Amino acid sequence: MFAVEVTEQIMIAHSFRGEVFGPAQRLHGATFVVRAAFLAEQLDDNGIVVDIGRAHDVLKAALAPLSFQNLDDLPQFKGINTTTEFLTKHVFDQLAEAARAGRLGRNGRELEAIRVTVDESPLARASYEAPLW
Amino acid sequence: MFAVEVTEQIMIAHSFRGEVFGPAQRLHGATFVVRAAFLAEQLDDNGIVVDIGRAHDVLKAALAPLSFQNLDDLPQFKGINTTTEFLTKHVFDQLAEAARAGRLGRNGRELEAIRVTVDESPLARASYEAPLW
Amino acid sequence: MFAVEVTEQIMIAHSFRGEVFGPAQRLHGATFVVRAAFLAEQLDDNGIVVDIGRAHDVLKAALAPLSFQNLDDLPQFKGINTTTEFLTKHVFDQLAEAARAGRLGRNGRELEAIRVTVDESPLARASYEAPLW
Amino acid sequence: MFAVEVTEQIMIAHSFRGEVFGPAQRLHGATFVVRAAFLAEQLDDNGIVVDIGRAHDVLKAALAPLSFQNLDDLPQFKGINTTTEFLTKHVFDQLAEAARAGRLGRNGRELEAIRVTVDESPLARASYEAPLW
Amino acid sequence: MFAVEVTEQIMIAHSFRGEVFGPAQRLHGATFVVRAAFLAEQLDDNGIVVDIGRAHDVLKAALAPLSFQNLDDLPQFKGINTTTEFLTKHVFDQLAEAARAGRLGRNGRELEAIRVTVDESPLARASYEAPLW
Amino acid sequence: MFAVEVTEQIMIAHSFRGEVFGPAQRLHGATFVVRAAFLAEQLDDNGIVVDIGRAHDVLKAALAPLSFQNLDDLPQFKGINTTTEFLTKHVFDQLAEAARAGRLGRNGRELEAIRVTVDESPLARASYEAPLW
């Protein structure tokens, strides 16, 4: 299996509800370093999984509504703990929709899976990987 | 599949028996950067795989008996080459026991697998991943 | 000149006032990776600049009041843009006070300078360095 | 499953044919940081997957014909876009042949798979993983 | 002294003349990770050294003529070994001109120095630092 | 001022004497990532500070007597705490002798200073910098 992975980053504020979160129940924030990996069994005629430039663009587009925002205030996250894990799946869903719609410049059927990894710090990260079909 | 991964580190001394190890047959040492990833199909009601704080605590507890030790002197490693590969499995076993016993704050049955990665230097690492059940 | 440098991290929320900041005028946040370097011309009798354990403790103590906070709400930062640059100097001031008071376990007069580096992301950082005396 | 992963690097020139590559159609170059991971279900009698020294040697040997070369001029790549993805598979093929022939110092039948990861920059990478048998 | 440092990257081809360069006399290439640090004694009224966005823009502008190029073909480098060291000074000169002309959004007289660091690989880098006035 | 910096690594065992070291008084070990920076005001006729290949060789030669050793057993370190700080100066001395003797392939008088940085872990490092003349 081939994979191509690109990296972007965002800076956000948020808070969590639930005693398990301890001091992270307070309003705080994070720099999220977000990597998106696109997986395919075969390369296309150009010798690529997907165009790296397009992969960056699709990832940037998925992250733009979150960038420099307080996630607690965004309607799409109302009542949700925007944990690092949750965000990996949220970004995955945006990327999967783009991939299935061919917005990565390749027939989406030729892509197998997507993996999103989010580093919240050098010492902690989360990831989500799932097949596209 | 979701994963949450946390990082700790230890500094140890050890030596290896076997010609394949060359100069590493002499007493030497390593800084091991140890990452533990916990995998689950579903997030819990808080939106997490496991609490990151607890994950750090369980990893620290697994590493504490090794920290600032000459592994050649520890009774649990008598007659064993404590290679980086061996240690990934050793740490996995500690973490798996904690996970199955619910010490990560989540029903262990809801966790699928654990992956332990140990960097012995920027240029070499080992990992071990296995299902929990 | 010798230096010893230790690393800690915090996650905070804040916002900036001033058109120059563009979208960062909105409430957002950051993971700050903070490195503190202590500089000395000579090592002490133990062969160290300062004890690394104490250096970590002093840096943690300087960062604790900021950790998991909205810096906009802290009285000590009222009316201030808590930029990455500003925070390097803020942390420097805490460390310098500790160093001068001997809380690093060495006569402060034997330390020459302190340098604080704060990474706000893998692509941007700030630092502040100044002599202690 | 156990894995051992070693890292080497090369600096090369090349160009791509195809409008999708935009400015990368021009002759340019890259520092490729190449990681090779060897996977096995069981450790051998020494407690290792493969000897790290041999793993480095086999990876170096796979990369040597590319090092400080313009890949456009190499006969083995005639008419091929030497994309990062393509190169992961090219290196995999060299390593797989070495593994199957026992050149890693272990019966190749005891190795399960190989994964090659190539970072073309801190913000983009490709990988290829496949079973050996 | 305060500093703000931003990072960009380029991919280029080039070759060197001189026996000291060994195999690097052949046409090859590099991914250069370029960091530009701007130094000032005082922060401005916004609490910054220079606007990070502008710093990125000025660095990108300095690198754009080199990006995806064979440096051997560029008229500005005719007869020159475009070593990593040489490029640090080349980028410095572009940034210094921008700083002195106020294109970083601050009176250039309030900036003290610039430092450019270029990583040619994880194992080798060069830097150039000089005062602006 | 120009600088060229190269990186090597070693794995060693050692122990410290003195209560300040706490558990590090026990025999333990470290992976030391060692960077050596050579500083010069002017580039030579080839456009370099020193040949990167020679810089690697000189650094490797300085580290070879320590590699895969228990530093407590080496006669040159008898009665000495081989702290990270101490080792930065020890490596500096070897490099300075090589530089002054012209073993870096350049008249030593044209080099201004050397800086040695040793990372003992991702969270702690030491450095030593001094002029050569």
Side-chain angles (χ1 to χ4, degrees):
Chain A
M1 182 78 81
F2 287 96
V4 158
E5 189 174 59
V6 295
T7 305
E8 295 287 339
Q9 59 191 39
I10 49 170
M11 304 177 88
I12 59 90
H14 61 171
S15 64
F16 301 141
R17 286 162 310 156
E19 284 186 21
V20 67
F21 294 106
Q25 294 174 87
R26 299 196 295 257
L27 183 63
H28 63 287
T31 306
F32 285 129
V33 178
V34 184
R35 283 178 281 149
F38 302 90
L39 285 71
E41 281 292 351
Q42 304 292 335
L43 299 184
D44 74 5
D45 290 346
N46 290 306
I48 59 177
V49 173
V50 293
D51 173 30
I52 281 184
R54 285 224 193 188
H56 273 292
D57 289 344
V58 165
L59 179 55
K60 276 183 199 166
L63 296 175
L66 317 187
S67 183
F68 290 112
Q69 297 286 358
N70 178 359
L71 303 187
D72 296 354
D73 289 343
L74 298 187
Q76 64 268 42
F77 297 143
K78 195 178 167 60
I80 289 171
N81 275 334
T82 54
T83 60
T84 310
E85 292 95 316
F86 170 83
L87 290 169
T88 59
K89 177 67 160 58
H90 172 78
V91 174
F92 172 91
D93 288 340
Q94 317 292 307
L95 300 180
E97 188 188 327
R100 291 186 192 112
R103 290 207 301 276
L104 282 155
R106 189 171 181 186
N107 183 334
R109 283 280 163 194
E110 297 173 21
L111 297 175
E112 299 285 329
I114 289 176
R115 179 180 65 243
V116 176
T117 307
V118 178
D119 288 22
E120 67 176 55
S121 84
L123 302 183
R125 68 171 65 135
S127 65
Y128 180 75
E129 176 172 343
L132 272 171
W133 307 101
Chain B
M1 184 76 83
F2 287 95
V4 159
E5 189 174 59
V6 296
T7 304
E8 295 287 339
Q9 59 191 39
I10 49 171
M11 304 177 88
I12 59 90
H14 60 171
S15 64
F16 300 141
R17 286 162 310 158
E19 283 187 22
V20 67
F21 294 107
Q25 294 175 86
R26 300 196 295 256
L27 183 63
H28 63 287
T31 306
F32 285 130
V33 178
V34 185
R35 285 178 279 147
F38 302 91
L39 284 70
E41 282 291 351
Q42 305 292 334
L43 300 185
D44 74 5
D45 290 346
N46 290 306
I48 59 177
V49 173
V50 293
D51 174 29
I52 280 184
R54 285 225 194 188
H56 273 291
D57 289 345
V58 165
L59 179 55
K60 276 182 199 167
L63 297 175
L66 316 187
S67 184
F68 290 112
Q69 298 285 359
N70 177 0
L71 304 187
D72 295 354
D73 289 344
L74 298 187
Q76 65 267 44
F77 298 142
K78 196 178 167 59
I80 290 171
N81 275 333
T82 55
T83 60
T84 310
E85 293 94 317
F86 169 83
L87 290 169
T88 58
K89 177 69 159 57
H90 172 79
V91 174
F92 172 92
D93 288 341
Q94 317 292 307
L95 300 180
E97 187 187 328
R100 291 185 192 112
R103 291 207 302 275
L104 282 155
R106 190 172 180 186
N107 183 332
R109 283 280 163 194
E110 298 174 21
L111 296 175
E112 299 285 330
I114 289 176
R115 180 182 62 243
V116 175
T117 307
V118 178
D119 288 21
E120 67 175 56
S121 84
L123 302 184
R125 68 171 64 135
S127 64
Y128 181 75
E129 176 173 344
L132 274 170
W133 308 101
Chain C
M1 182 78 82
F2 288 96
V4 159
E5 189 175 60
V6 295
T7 304
E8 296 287 338
Q9 59 190 38
I10 50 170
M11 304 178 87
I12 59 89
H14 60 172
S15 64
F16 300 140
R17 286 162 310 157
E19 284 187 20
V20 67
F21 294 106
Q25 294 175 86
R26 300 195 296 254
L27 184 63
H28 63 288
T31 306
F32 285 128
V33 178
V34 184
R35 284 177 280 148
F38 301 91
L39 284 71
E41 282 292 349
Q42 304 292 335
L43 301 184
D44 74 5
D45 290 345
N46 290 307
I48 59 177
V49 173
V50 293
D51 173 30
I52 280 184
R54 285 224 195 185
H56 273 291
D57 289 344
V58 165
L59 179 55
K60 277 183 196 164
L63 297 174
L66 317 187
S67 184
F68 290 113
Q69 297 286 357
N70 178 0
L71 304 188
D72 296 355
D73 289 344
L74 298 188
Q76 65 268 43
F77 298 143
K78 196 177 168 62
I80 288 172
N81 275 333
T82 55
T83 59
T84 310
E85 291 96 316
F86 170 83
L87 290 169
T88 58
K89 177 67 161 56
H90 172 78
V91 174
F92 172 92
D93 288 340
Q94 316 292 308
L95 300 179
E97 188 187 327
R100 291 186 192 113
R103 291 207 301 276
L104 283 155
R106 189 172 180 188
N107 183 332
R109 282 281 164 193
E110 298 174 20
L111 298 174
E112 299 285 329
I114 289 176
R115 180 181 62 240
V116 175
T117 307
V118 178
D119 287 23
E120 66 174 57
S121 84
L123 303 183
R125 69 170 65 135
S127 64
Y128 181 74
E129 176 173 344
L132 273 171
W133 306 100
Chain D
M1 183 76 81
F2 287 95
V4 158
E5 189 174 60
V6 296
T7 304
E8 295 288 338
Q9 60 190 38
I10 48 171
M11 305 178 87
I12 58 90
H14 61 171
S15 64
F16 301 139
R17 285 162 310 156
E19 283 187 22
V20 67
F21 295 106
Q25 294 174 88
R26 299 196 296 255
L27 183 62
H28 63 288
T31 306
F32 286 129
V33 179
V34 184
R35 284 177 281 148
F38 302 91
L39 284 71
E41 281 292 350
Q42 305 292 335
L43 300 184
D44 73 7
D45 290 346
N46 289 306
I48 59 177
V49 173
V50 293
D51 173 29
I52 281 184
R54 284 225 194 187
H56 274 291
D57 288 345
V58 165
L59 179 55
K60 276 182 199 166
L63 297 175
L66 317 186
S67 184
F68 291 111
Q69 297 286 358
N70 177 1
L71 304 187
D72 296 354
D73 289 343
L74 298 187
Q76 64 268 45
F77 298 142
K78 196 177 166 60
I80 289 171
N81 275 333
T82 54
T83 61
T84 310
E85 292 95 318
F86 169 83
L87 290 169
T88 58
K89 176 68 160 56
H90 172 78
V91 174
F92 172 91
D93 289 340
Q94 316 292 307
L95 300 180
E97 187 187 327
R100 291 187 192 111
R103 291 206 302 276
L104 282 154
R106 190 172 179 185
N107 183 332
R109 283 279 164 196
E110 298 174 21
L111 297 175
E112 299 285 329
I114 290 176
R115 180 181 63 242
V116 175
T117 307
V118 178
D119 288 22
E120 67 175 56
S121 83
L123 302 183
R125 68 171 65 134
S127 64
Y128 181 74
E129 176 173 344
L132 272 171
W133 306 101
Chain E
M1 182 78 81
F2 288 96
V4 158
E5 189 175 60
V6 296
T7 304
E8 295 288 337
Q9 59 190 38
I10 49 171
M11 303 177 88
I12 60 89
H14 60 172
S15 65
F16 300 140
R17 287 163 309 158
E19 285 187 20
V20 66
F21 295 106
Q25 293 174 88
R26 299 196 296 255
L27 183 63
H28 63 287
T31 306
F32 285 129
V33 179
V34 184
R35 285 178 279 148
F38 301 90
L39 285 72
E41 282 292 349
Q42 304 292 335
L43 300 184
D44 74 5
D45 290 345
N46 290 306
I48 59 178
V49 173
V50 293
D51 174 30
I52 280 183
R54 285 224 195 186
H56 274 292
D57 289 346
V58 165
L59 179 54
K60 276 183 199 166
L63 297 175
L66 317 187
S67 183
F68 291 112
Q69 298 286 357
N70 178 359
L71 303 188
D72 296 355
D73 289 344
L74 298 188
Q76 65 268 42
F77 298 142
K78 195 176 167 65
I80 289 172
N81 275 333
T82 55
T83 60
T84 311
E85 292 95 317
F86 170 83
L87 290 169
T88 58
K89 177 67 161 57
H90 173 77
V91 174
F92 172 91
D93 288 341
Q94 317 292 307
L95 301 180
E97 187 186 329
R100 291 186 191 114
R103 291 207 302 275
L104 282 154
R106 190 173 180 186
N107 183 332
R109 283 281 164 192
E110 298 174 21
L111 298 175
E112 299 285 330
I114 289 176
R115 181 181 61 242
V116 176
T117 308
V118 179
D119 288 22
E120 67 175 57
S121 84
L123 302 184
R125 70 171 64 133
S127 64
Y128 181 75
E129 176 173 342
L132 273 171
W133 307 100
Chain F
M1 182 78 81
F2 288 95
V4 158
E5 189 175 60
V6 296
T7 304
E8 295 288 337
Q9 59 190 39
I10 49 171
M11 304 177 87
I12 59 91
H14 60 172
S15 64
F16 300 139
R17 287 162 310 156
E19 284 188 20
V20 67
F21 294 107
Q25 293 174 87
R26 299 196 296 254
L27 183 62
H28 63 288
T31 306
F32 285 128
V33 179
V34 184
R35 284 177 280 148
F38 301 91
L39 284 71
E41 281 292 349
Q42 305 292 336
L43 300 184
D44 73 5
D45 289 347
N46 290 306
I48 58 177
V49 173
V50 294
D51 174 29
I52 280 184
R54 284 226 195 183
H56 274 291
D57 290 345
V58 164
L59 179 55
K60 276 182 197 164
L63 296 175
L66 317 187
S67 184
F68 290 112
Q69 297 286 357
N70 177 0
L71 304 187
D72 296 354
D73 289 344
L74 298 187
Q76 64 268 44
F77 298 142
K78 196 176 167 63
I80 289 172
N81 276 333
T82 55
T83 60
T84 310
E85 292 95 317
F86 169 82
L87 290 168
T88 58
K89 176 69 161 58
H90 173 78
V91 174
F92 172 92
D93 288 341
Q94 317 292 308
L95 301 179
E97 188 186 328
R100 291 186 192 112
R103 292 207 300 276
L104 282 155
R106 190 173 180 187
N107 183 333
R109 282 281 162 193
E110 298 174 20
L111 297 175
E112 299 285 329
I114 290 176
R115 180 181 62 242
V116 175
T117 307
V118 179
D119 288 21
E120 67 175 56
S121 84
L123 302 183
R125 69 171 66 133
S127 64
Y128 181 75
E129 176 173 344
L132 273 171
W133 307 101

